[in-house]
Amino acid sequence: MATNTLAKPPAQTCILVTGGAGFIGSHTVVELLNAGYSVVVLDDLSNSSAESLARVRQICDLPETGPGSERLQFVQASILDRDALDTTFAAHDISGIIHFAGFKAVGESVQKPWEYYWNNVAGTLVLVDVARQHGVKSIVFSSSATVYGDPDQVPITEMAEKHDATNPYGQTKSMLERILSDLYVGDPEWNVVLLRYFNPIGAHESGLIGEDPKGIPNNLVPYVAKVAVGKLPEVGVFGQDYPTPDGTGVRDYIHVVDLARGHVAAIDWMAGRVGTGCADDPYSLPGDAAPDGSRRGVGVFNLGTGRGSSVLDVVHAFERACGKEIPYVMKPRRAGDIAENYASCDKARTELGWVAEYDLDRMCEDSWRWQSNNPDGYAS
C-alpha cells in the first residue's frame, strides 16, 4: 500500500501529477524531476499532447528506456476512470498528488456547465476517494484567483473574502477548495495545499514546451503570440476606459516556470522541509505535524508576482520580444471583466520560501521562443 507521507527524501518520493501533459503540468513535471522526485503523469490528452512529455524527457535528459527512464511514467486515463486510478495507485508507491486535471475554458464552461461540473468536481471526488483507499492523503490543488471574484481591494491577500465566481469554471474551483478543506476537517490525516494562480504565461527557456491551446486561444498571451506568428490578424483589446494608467485591464502575469517551482515548494512545505506552518488567516486550517515530520492541515497560497501589468503592457512587451509590431484593435468592455487584479505574495514568500523571479519581458521572450519554434504547437 502506498504511504501518505512526504517526509522521505525527494529521491525516494513519487508524485502523481494529474493533467501533467498540459501547459502548467508539463512545466511542473520538469521542476519535480529537476528536484529529484519521480513522477507518474495521468492525463486523458483531451486538451494536451503526449509529445509534451517526450520533450520533458529531452529537457531533463531522461532516457526513454533503461536506467533512469522509470522516473517519469505516463498513464493515459481520465480522473473519472476509477479502475484506471486504482490500477495506477496499486502499481506505484505514490506519496502525494498535484492535481491539475480539469476543463478550464471560462467561455466554454458557460455553454457546457454540466460537463464542467461533472469532469472537474465529480472527477476530483473519484480521485481523492481512490487516493485515500490507497493511503495517499496529500494533495496540492490547482486553484485560481478567480475564486476572489471582483476583489474589494488590491493587492489581494489570502485573507480576502471569496466572492461568487461569474462562470461555472470558477465555481468548480471554489467548490473544490471547499471540498478539499472539508476532507481535512473530517479526517485530520489529510494534507491539502490550495494554490491560487493569477495569470500564467511564458514557456520553458528551451523553447521545447509551452502553451498549445486547441483552436483560437482564450487567453491574452497565446492570442498575441498567434498574431505575432501570423496565425491570427490582430489582438482585440477589450476595454480602454478602466481606471488604470492606460485604460486597459490590469492583471498579475506570472511566468509558468515560476509557477511550476511554486508547486515543488508546496510539496516541500507539506513534507516539513521549508516554512514554519500556515500563517494565521481564516482560509487556512493549520494542523499539527505528523510523527514523520510532514504537515497536516490546509494551506492556502497566492502565486503571482505582486505586480500588475496592463493589456497594452503585454502587447508592447511582446513587440519587444519578437521585434515586430503587434496590430491591435480597441473594443468595448466584456461583461464580467474587472479593472485590475493582482496578488499579494507575502505569504508564499514567508511560508513556502518561494518568490517569482521572472519579469514580463522575460515571460514574453520565452513565449515568443516557444511560438516561433513551434508555430503549430506540438503538431509542429
Side-chain angles (χ1 to χ4, degrees):
M1 177 178 290
T3 176
N4 67 346
T5 180
L6 288 167
K8 297 178 293 184
Q12 300 172 23
T13 304
C14 180
I15 304 297
L16 175 67
V17 181
T18 70
F23 174 45
I24 304 171
S26 59
H27 287 81
T28 300
V29 171
V30 168
E31 297 305 320
L32 286 166
L33 292 169
N34 286 342
Y37 292 95
S38 293
V39 177
V40 175
V41 169
L42 185 137
D43 197 306
D44 66 3
L45 303 181
S46 62
N47 193 33
S48 58
S49 169
E51 174 64 20
S52 67
L53 298 179
R55 297 189 184 191
V56 165
R57 284 190 180 276
Q58 186 178 345
I59 291 167
C60 297
D61 197 24
L62 285 185
E64 291 283 347
T65 59
S69 62
E70 72 286 348
R71 290 189 58 218
L72 174 59
Q73 300 192 51
F74 173 56
V75 177
Q76 184 175 348
S78 165
I79 53 174
L80 286 160
D81 188 339
R82 181 179 290 271
D83 290 341
L85 287 169
D86 189 61
T87 299
T88 300
F89 278 97
H92 304 281
D93 186 21
I94 294 166
S95 294
I97 304 163
I98 299 180
H99 180 32
F100 295 108
F103 295 158
K104 62 178 184 177
V106 170
E108 183 184 62
S109 77
V110 176
Q111 302 300 319
K112 298 180 177 181
W114 184 88
E115 287 83 353
Y116 271 69
Y117 288 119
W118 176 248
N119 186 75
N120 294 8
V121 178
T124 301
L125 290 173
V126 173
L127 172 67
V128 297
D129 186 35
V130 174
R132 66 181 180 173
Q133 291 176 19
H134 288 268
V136 180
K137 297 182 179 180
S138 297
I139 185 167
V140 177
F141 176 57
S142 164
S143 191
S144 168
T146 191
V147 302
Y148 294 117
D150 191 350
D152 297 321
Q153 62 183 34
V154 292
I156 304 169
T157 73
E158 291 84 353
M159 295 177 67
E161 182 179 355
K162 290 170 64 176
H163 296 292
D164 286 341
T166 58
N167 55 77
Y169 161 75
Q171 291 283 15
T172 67
K173 292 297 186 184
S174 192
M175 287 178 181
L176 288 170
E177 283 199 355
R178 181 72 269 162
I179 289 167
L180 294 172
S181 298
D182 285 345
L183 283 180
Y184 167 72
V185 174
D187 178 0
E189 288 188 349
W190 274 96
N191 190 359
V192 177
V193 171
L194 309 174
L195 297 181
R196 294 174 178 167
Y197 312 160
F198 279 69
N199 295 72
I201 62 174
H204 193 269
E205 64 180 359
S206 66
L208 289 171
I209 58 174
E211 191 165 8
D212 183 21
K214 301 293 187 281
I216 296 176
N218 293 297
N219 298 322
L220 175 62
V221 171
Y223 201 102
V224 172
K226 292 288 187 184
V227 173
V229 83
K231 295 287 186 179
L232 293 169
E234 61 193 17
V235 177
V237 178
F238 295 94
Q240 56 183 319
D241 58 351
Y242 288 109
T244 60
D246 62 18
T248 65
V250 167
R251 299 293 183 268
D252 189 340
Y253 296 94
I254 176 174
H255 198 296
V256 65
V257 172
D258 279 329
L259 184 62
R261 290 170 180 164
H263 291 76
V264 179
I267 292 289
D268 288 339
W269 181 86
M270 296 167 89
R273 284 189 283 272
V274 298
T276 57
C278 291
D280 184 19
D281 76 64
Y283 297 108
S284 289
L285 299 170
D288 296 328
D292 56 30
S294 62
R295 290 197 174 86
R296 297 292 180 266
V298 180
V300 183
F301 300 96
N302 289 337
L303 294 185
T305 63
R307 298 182 300 276
S309 300
S310 74
V311 174
L312 291 182
D313 287 336
V314 173
V315 170
H316 296 322
F318 213 95
E319 288 176 332
R320 292 192 293 273
C322 69
K324 64 179 77 172
E325 184 175 339
I326 304 292
Y328 63 89
V329 176
M330 307 305 295
K331 298 185 177 183
R333 296 186 187 188
R334 292 179 299 192
D337 276 355
I338 59 178
E340 58 181 349
N341 183 317
Y342 59 94
S344 167
C345 303
D346 293 343
K347 187 179 175 187
R349 183 179 65 252
T350 301
E351 298 299 323
L352 302 182
W354 172 91
V355 63
E357 298 179 13
Y358 299 129
D359 63 13
L360 184 62
D361 279 340
R362 173 63 183 271
M363 298 177 210
C364 291
E365 288 166 10
D366 288 342
S367 288
W368 173 241
R369 184 180 303 108
W370 154 255
Q371 186 66 68
S372 58
N373 289 341
N374 305 270
D376 297 313
Y378 291 114
S380 302

